[in-house]
Amino acid sequence: MSTKILVTGGTGFIGSHTVVELYNAGYTPVIIDDLSNSSVKILDQIEKIIGMKPEFHQFDLCDQNKVNDFVAANPDIKGIIHFAAFKAVGESVQKPLEYYRNNFFSLINLLAAYKGKPINFVFSSSCTVYGQPDVLPVTEAAPVKKAESPYGNTKQIAEEILAETAAVSKNYNIVALRYFNPVGAHESALIGELPIGVPQNLVPFITQTAIGKRDKITVFGNDYDTADGSCVRDYIHVVDLANAHVAAIKRMEEGKSKANYEVYNIGTGKGTTVLEVIHAFEDSTGEKLNYMIGPRRAGDIEKVYGDATKSTKELGWTAELNIEDMMKSAWEWEKYIKNNPF
Ligand code: WQD
C-alpha cells in the first residue's frame, strides 16, 4: 500500500488538484472536508481523472473529538496537507471571529491530535504575510508585515503557531508554502475553481464575464506605479501549485529537511499586471472581454511577485505552466461548468 497522505479541504480548489497530483506521484490521498465551501461532486470528478474515488470523511476539524477519533482510527497516515480554512479577504473583515475560530481551531486540533506522534505537515500559507514588500521579487527572508485583513492575520499567526510548536516538539516535521495567486484548472477541465456567488478574485471574474454570467469586469485602478497602471501579481497555475505540495511531502519523507519548520515561496517569480492578464485571456482564448477601468479596491497592494529560488533549490520544484496555460485552462473549466452545473 502506498503512503497515505491526509488532505484537509481536499474537495476545494487547490485541495482537489493536490489530491490528483499526490495520486499521480504514487501516494494514497485521504480527504477530510466539511463541504462548507465545496461540492461533494468533486469526488466523482477526481475519480474521472485518476480512476479511483479517494477515501472521504465529512466533518468539521473544529470538533476536537472527531479529529482525535479520526487520528486514532487512521494510524497509517504519514503526512498531512492542511488546506481547510476560510480564505476570502473581504469576508474576513466582516466576520473576524468566524475566521479566527475556524482557521485556528482546525489547525490546533490537528496538531494536538498528533502530539508526540511523528507526522509530516504541509501548511497552506500565503504571500499576504508580506503585505507590500519593500524589495521585489520578495524572498522568504522578507519581513512579515502587519496583516491587512483577519484572513491574512490567520495565516501569519498560524505560521507562528507552527514555528513555535516545531521548536519544542521534534515529532512534527513542518513545511509552510506561501502561495501567490493560484489560477487556472486541470487540463481535463473536470476540476477547477468553484467560487460561490460573485467572484472576488480576478480570473474567475474574467471567465464569468466571458461566458456571459457577468456583463463586464472592472479593472480596480490603472493609476498605480506599474507598466500599465494596473496592479501586479504573481499568478501561478494551480497544477504547478499542487505539485509544490507533493515536493514538500517528498522532501520531508526523504529526510531532506534542514529544520523541522521550513518556509517556501510558491510563485513563478514573474509579475503580471491586471491588464496583461486580461489581454492574455483574450489572446489565448480568442474571446473579447468587456472591461472598464474603475476606482482602486481598498486593501489592494500595488505589486507583489515572489522569488522562488529557494523552492527550486531545496524542493526541486519550479513552475512550468505560463499565463496562457492558466487562461486557457480557466476558460475550458468555465465552459465545462456551464454545461455541468455543480
Ligand atoms: C488580483 C488583482 C485586484 C478582481 C488573492 C487572495 C489572497 C491570496 C492571493 C491566497 C488585484 C484585481 C480583481 C476584479 C480587478 N490568496 N482585480 N478586478 O487580491 O491579489 O489576493 O490571491 O492566499 O489571499 O485574496 O487576488 O484575484 O482578488 O486580485 O481588477 O474584478 O486583480 O485589484 O490587483 P489578490 P485577486
Side-chain angles (χ1 to χ4, degrees):
M1 182 68 156
S2 69
T3 306
K4 265 190 177 182
I5 304 292
L6 171 61
V7 183
T8 72
T11 53
F13 174 37
I14 305 167
S16 55
H17 286 83
T18 302
V19 164
V20 167
E21 298 311 319
L22 277 170
Y23 181 84
N24 291 342
Y27 290 98
T28 300
V30 175
I31 298 173
I32 294 176
D33 204 302
D34 66 0
L35 300 178
S36 63
N37 193 27
S38 59
S39 166
V40 71
K41 292 180 189 168
I42 288 294
L43 295 173
D44 300 325
Q45 301 297 101
I46 291 172
E47 183 177 19
K48 288 176 194 161
I49 298 171
I50 63 177
M52 60 85 87
K53 190 178 279 192
E55 186 181 332
F56 172 65
H57 303 266
Q58 181 181 352
F59 66 86
D60 183 349
L61 291 164
C62 292
D63 181 329
Q64 175 84 71
N65 292 330
K66 287 194 176 148
V67 173
N68 291 344
D69 292 349
F70 175 86
V71 171
N74 293 275
D76 50 352
I77 282 181
K78 297 288 176 252
I80 299 174
I81 303 180
H82 182 46
F83 291 106
F86 293 158
K87 57 140 189 146
V89 173
E91 183 186 54
S92 77
V93 174
Q94 305 309 318
K95 302 177 176 176
L97 270 186
E98 285 87 332
Y99 269 69
Y100 287 118
R101 179 187 169 282
N102 183 63
N103 292 7
F104 291 153
F105 281 26
S106 51
L107 174 67
I108 291 165
N109 286 347
L110 271 174
L111 291 171
Y114 279 92
K115 198 171 174 60
K117 299 185 180 87
I119 191 74
N120 294 329
F121 193 97
V122 181
F123 177 66
S124 165
S125 192
S126 166
C127 64
T128 45
V129 302
Y130 297 119
Q132 175 58 69
D134 301 322
V135 177
L136 287 172
V138 62
T139 70
E140 293 84 350
V144 167
K145 291 195 174 173
K146 181 166 174 10
E148 312 256 338
S149 69
Y151 160 78
N153 209 23
T154 66
K155 291 300 182 185
Q156 288 182 8
I157 296 170
E159 286 194 4
E160 290 168 12
I161 291 170
L162 290 164
E164 289 157 9
T165 302
V168 292
S169 308
K170 297 306 174 193
N171 61 296
Y172 301 104
N173 217 355
I174 302 172
V175 167
L177 300 181
R178 291 175 177 169
Y179 311 160
F180 287 77
N181 289 53
V183 297
H186 191 262
E187 62 186 358
S188 63
L190 291 168
I191 52 175
E193 196 167 1
L194 271 176
I196 295 175
V198 178
Q200 297 306 304
N201 295 129
L202 176 66
V203 173
F205 212 110
I206 285 176
T207 57
Q208 288 193 13
T209 302
I211 206 134
K213 275 179 87 170
R214 312 285 161 205
D215 65 359
K216 70 176 181 323
I217 179 165
T218 305
V219 174
F220 295 143
N222 70 341
D223 57 351
Y224 290 99
D225 180 18
T226 64
D228 56 28
S230 59
C231 291
V232 171
R233 294 289 183 275
D234 183 338
Y235 296 94
I236 176 164
H237 197 294
V238 64
V239 172
D240 275 331
L241 177 58
N243 280 313
H245 293 78
V246 177
I249 284 284
K250 274 200 176 120
R251 176 180 174 79
M252 293 188 278
E253 203 180 36
E254 292 164 359
K256 293 179 178 167
S257 301
K258 290 192 289 190
N260 70 327
Y261 178 68
E262 297 180 304
V263 178
Y264 294 96
N265 281 345
I266 303 300
T268 65
K270 183 177 174 351
T272 306
T273 70
V274 174
L275 287 166
E276 285 167 345
V277 173
I278 287 176
H279 296 143
F281 178 83
E282 292 181 319
D283 296 346
S284 53
T285 63
E287 298 294 328
K288 192 85 191 78
L289 261 186
N290 181 18
Y291 67 90
M292 62 168 280
I293 305 295
R296 294 182 172 193
R297 177 173 70 175
D300 273 340
I301 54 171
E302 182 171 76
K303 47 188 157 193
V304 60
Y305 50 96
D307 178 328
T309 309
K310 186 184 172 193
S311 294
T312 300
K313 248 172 65 190
E314 297 184 11
L315 294 182
W317 172 90
T318 304
E320 294 172 1
L321 298 164
N322 62 31
I323 194 76
E324 285 71 29
D325 300 316
M326 297 176 213
M327 294 302 107
K328 275 191 279 197
S329 60
W331 179 229
E332 289 309 310
W333 165 246
E334 187 67 55
K335 288 190 285 186
Y336 178 84
I337 53 180
K338 179 176 182 180
N339 303 321
N340 304 273
F342 277 79

